[in-house]
Amino acid sequence: MRHARDGAAAAMNAASRILVARGKNEPQELENPDVAWGQRARDGVWVPTKDGQRLHFGIDVAAADTVAQVLRPSLRVFVGVDLDTDIVAQTTDNGVRLLTVIHGPDAPSEFRFAVSLPDGLALESMPSGGYDVVHLRYGATVGRLYNPWASDSMFRQVKADYTLEGTIVTMRVQHADAFYPVVADPHYAR
């Protein structure tokens, strides 16, 4: 078993390399007082919507009681949340990223995020493959879960998509023929 500090460093290194290769248009890590992280993976994160409400993303993983290693207020790493899997969680200026780092072929290919929406909001599937958070009374989009992307260590695209069942958003990553580590990015912004 990897030492937790080594695991955090490996996850950060993998995520950083791929984000740098993707370029400057990626959302940047930034402190955001409107985002509140829980201590454990299952506790997830509370994020704001454009209309001032808050929704919750729980990280539904095998080791849901994994405690975050807080590297700075806007960055934490959940090491070993599943077999060969870590999550690098970033706060951005208008949301969060849950960079899922897959270290090997034995890692799962599905990652679940439990979404709790306030009354009057719903997830609406978009043609892009993401989900808009829609205010039911006004029809306005107040947040967005962007279509996930995934990339392997050779910077090749890896197929990733979402499914929605009830209040669980599942990110599927087809990493079987990839070069590891693979990084997948569920990203929410208001």
Side-chain angles (χ1 to χ4, degrees), residues 178-189:
F179 289 94
Y180 297 97
V182 169
V183 175
D185 182 26
H187 169 222
Y188 167 83

Side-chain angles (χ1 to χ4, degrees), residues 36-46 56-68 78 81 87 98 112-116:
W37 291 95
Q39 181 178 0
R40 301 170 301 163
R42 95 169 58 251
D43 300 333
V45 62
W46 289 263
H56 178 259
F57 287 97
I59 305 170
D60 183 12
V61 289
D65 287 327
T66 300
V67 175
F78 297 94
V81 294
I87 292 181
L98 298 168
R112 290 174 300 287
F113 303 95
V115 181
S116 298

Side-chain angles (χ1 to χ4, degrees), residues 40-114:
R40 301 170 301 163
R42 95 169 58 251
D43 300 333
V45 62
W46 289 263
V47 292
T49 62
K50 286 181 184 175
D51 65 344
Q53 298 188 71
R54 295 173 75 71
L55 57 97
H56 178 259
F57 287 97
I59 305 170
D60 183 12
V61 289
D65 287 327
T66 300
V67 175
Q69 292 183 42
V70 179
L71 304 178
R72 48 188 174 262
S74 55
L75 182 67
R76 59 208 65 238
V77 180
F78 297 94
V79 177
V81 294
D82 212 319
L83 183 63
D84 285 341
T85 306
D86 303 319
I87 292 181
V88 176
Q90 285 183 334
T91 303
T92 66
D93 66 338
N94 64 356
V96 295
R97 300 175 85 165
L98 298 168
L99 295 159
T100 306
V101 182
I102 303 164
H103 294 283
D106 295 330
S109 60
E110 293 188 349
F111 305 92
R112 290 174 300 287
F113 303 95

